[in-house]
Amino acid sequence: LSNVALGTASGGSKTADVDLRHPLGSPYNFFTWSEQLADFTRDVVLKEGASSNKVSLVCNSIGTMSSLQAVLDNPDLYDGVCVINPNYRELHSAEVPLPNFSMPVVRQIQRLLRENGRGLYDALAKKDTVREILKEPYAVIEAVDDELVSVLLDPLLTEGAADVVFDTLSYSAGPLPEQQLSSPHFPAKTAPVWVMYGRSDPWTPGARVESMMKYESVEKVIPLDGVGHCPHDEAPEVVNPIILEFLQRVKNI
């Protein structure tokens, strides 16, 4: 896609080309993840006897693009999206500075990791290491407990997980939130979007999140004090009531 309007960390705007293809042709991309969400929605959530014919999505971080893409691809299945700390994918070719010069370097590093990074992966996939990594985006350090570490680490230790991680790290393409929300195919009137974010998140620029209010589908942007990238873990007593309010809102569509 050419000349797509995107946000900046300061809340301004820019235009960039957005390459939607995975550079490796990998199946690990937002379009197949959207298909998985739709399949799960049909086969599990909306199985025979379900009380509703539509589903509400709640997502965090990189799950933002998967959820918005699922709504774009299957507007008949979803009645809204509640986004918690959207991710803007800093290594996306549309996000890096001077992409004509920087992307060849990024691609080279990604290739080296795929081909020679298994030792590094095994060294990092340890409880203590994961715990320390999580302390960067989490403002509430007490939320980084043994249960959270296990929830994130256990899938990384299964067979084939390293290949998935390296393919995902090499995914410097695909949709971005502003591009998805500005699509004429996004069902703004039947799938409202609420966004919340932690003011202490070092990865998600608050001004860029606030600028998402300009999209027709975005009804609310809610800043949360004292929390970082995963407010649902750090302050569930604050986040859960907002989610319940959102669910009540979409019931009235």
Side-chain angles (χ1 to χ4, degrees), residues 45 66-67 70 102 104 110 146 162 193 234 248:
V45 183
S66 299
S67 297
S102 57
Q110 291 168 333
D146 291 341
V193 176
E234 300 172 66
Q248 188 62 42

Side-chain angles (χ1 to χ4, degrees), residues 65-158:
M65 279 70 72
S66 299
S67 297
L68 294 177
Q69 193 61 47
V71 174
L72 275 165
D73 294 343
N74 298 276
D76 58 311
L77 290 180
Y78 303 105
D79 59 13
V81 184
C82 183
V83 176
I84 304 172
N85 288 57
N87 180 283
Y88 297 107
R89 308 186 61 217
E90 291 82 356
L91 289 180
H92 193 292
S93 58
E95 295 292 323
V96 298
L98 303 173
N100 289 337
F101 299 97
S102 57
M103 280 312 299
V105 177
V106 171
R107 300 279 193 224
Q108 179 69 5
I109 294 171
Q110 291 168 333
R111 184 183 66 80
L112 290 172
L113 283 173
R114 289 197 309 274
E115 294 177 357
N116 305 293
R118 185 56 194 257
L120 177 62
Y121 179 91
D122 291 340
L124 293 176
K126 307 290 185 185
K127 285 186 178 181
D128 289 344
T129 306
V130 171
R131 189 186 306 276
E132 289 304 310
I133 291 172
L134 289 173
K135 289 179 181 179
E136 178 188 353
Y138 276 66
V140 181
I141 301 301
E142 294 77 14
V144 184
D145 56 17
D146 291 341
E147 181 181 8
L148 176 65
V149 171
S150 293
V151 165
L152 295 175
L153 178 59
D154 290 352
L156 297 177
L157 300 178
T158 59

Side-chain angles (χ1 to χ4, degrees), residues 170-251:
S170 298
Y171 190 16
S172 296
L176 292 166
E178 293 99 343
Q179 169 250 318
Q180 293 172 309
L181 290 169
S182 63
S183 169
H185 303 296
F186 196 92
K189 297 187 183 305
T190 59
V193 176
W194 285 21
V195 184
M196 63 182 100
Y197 71 96
R199 290 188 190 272
S200 299
D201 182 357
W203 294 351
T204 302
R208 185 165 180 174
V209 183
E210 293 285 351
S211 72
M212 293 172 73
M213 271 301 299
K214 65 188 174 188
Y215 298 106
E216 180 184 3
S217 58
V218 179
E219 293 185 343
K220 288 187 178 185
V221 172
I222 306 168
L224 305 173
D225 291 325
V227 291
H229 194 63
C230 297
H232 50 293
D233 289 332
E234 300 172 66
E237 72 282 1
V238 175
V239 172
N240 289 349
I242 298 173
I243 293 175
L244 292 174
E245 183 185 354
F246 166 76
L247 295 175
Q248 188 62 42
R249 155 70 182 101
V250 298
K251 277 179 62 177

